[in-house]
Amino acid sequence: MKEADMNRSGEKEISRRTFVDWVIKGGLLVALAGVLYPALSYLRPVMRRGAISEMEEVGGVNDIPVWGGKKVIIGGSAVLIIRTPDAFKAFSAVCTHLGCLVDWDGQKREIICPCHAGIFDLNGRNISGPPPRPLPVYTVSVINNKIFVKV
């Protein structure tokens, strides 16, 4: 250690330049963490997939209007349920591109990923945008006016 870094009582002094360097480095580290954390949180799938083997009740038939949709969580997985005039359909609500949650657009009758403009048809097939694969399809049963989905 240089003699100039010590004060008269023998304690180590920090120069103004060293102090400003540490403040700038700390500020850059905080700013980097402030950018990376939301970006990584966004890219990480919202829900973890957890396979369950039983049919799970997700609501009544009247809970979803015709051409309406509803998102539910089943076994830790986000599921999008769509009601058509003939049947109920269930898909993974996690986009196959980067894991964003998809939405149902009842007027256009398309499943839309709002993150990167991915579009899926009523059968879960990717028809536009960057999603590389169709949405996983789940089995739906209606028993006594109650909707059951198997994930």
Side-chain angles (χ1 to χ4, degrees):
M1 180 176 295
K2 296 188 298 184
E3 192 172 309
D5 292 339
M6 302 290 240
N7 63 12
R8 291 184 186 159
S9 63
E11 297 174 355
K12 182 179 176 185
E13 282 187 357
I14 298 175
S15 70
R16 185 181 319 169
R17 179 176 298 248
T18 302
F19 177 75
V20 171
D21 283 347
W22 279 104
V23 168
I24 291 171
K25 289 175 184 174
L28 289 173
L29 187 64
V30 169
L32 182 65
V35 170
L36 285 180
Y37 180 74
L40 293 175
S41 297
Y42 176 78
L43 294 176
R44 185 175 170 202
V46 177
M47 303 300 297
R48 288 185 152 187
R49 294 186 119 201
I52 58 173
S53 59
E54 301 293 323
M55 300 290 278
E56 186 161 326
E57 181 180 343
V58 294
V61 169
N62 295 327
D63 293 345
I64 304 173
V66 175
W67 296 118
K70 176 181 179 182
K71 285 186 213 170
V72 296
I73 305 296
I74 300 174
S77 298
V79 177
L80 176 65
I81 302 167
I82 299 169
R83 183 177 183 183
T84 66
D86 303 328
F88 287 90
K89 298 181 176 213
F91 307 97
S92 170
V94 179
C95 181
T96 57
H97 178 226
L98 289 177
C100 300
L101 286 180
V102 296
D103 293 320
W104 168 245
D105 187 336
Q107 292 182 342
K108 294 181 179 176
R109 297 181 182 164
E110 295 172 333
I111 301 168
I112 297 172
C113 178
C115 299
H116 300 101
I119 299 174
F120 301 89
D121 67 7
L122 193 54
N123 294 314
R125 292 181 298 231
N126 47 327
I127 56 174
S128 178
R133 298 178 306 280
L135 293 172
V137 179
Y138 301 128
T139 304
V140 179
S141 297
V142 177
I143 302 169
N144 295 330
N145 287 331
K146 294 181 179 176
I147 306 166
F148 293 87
V149 176
K150 182 178 181 180
V151 174

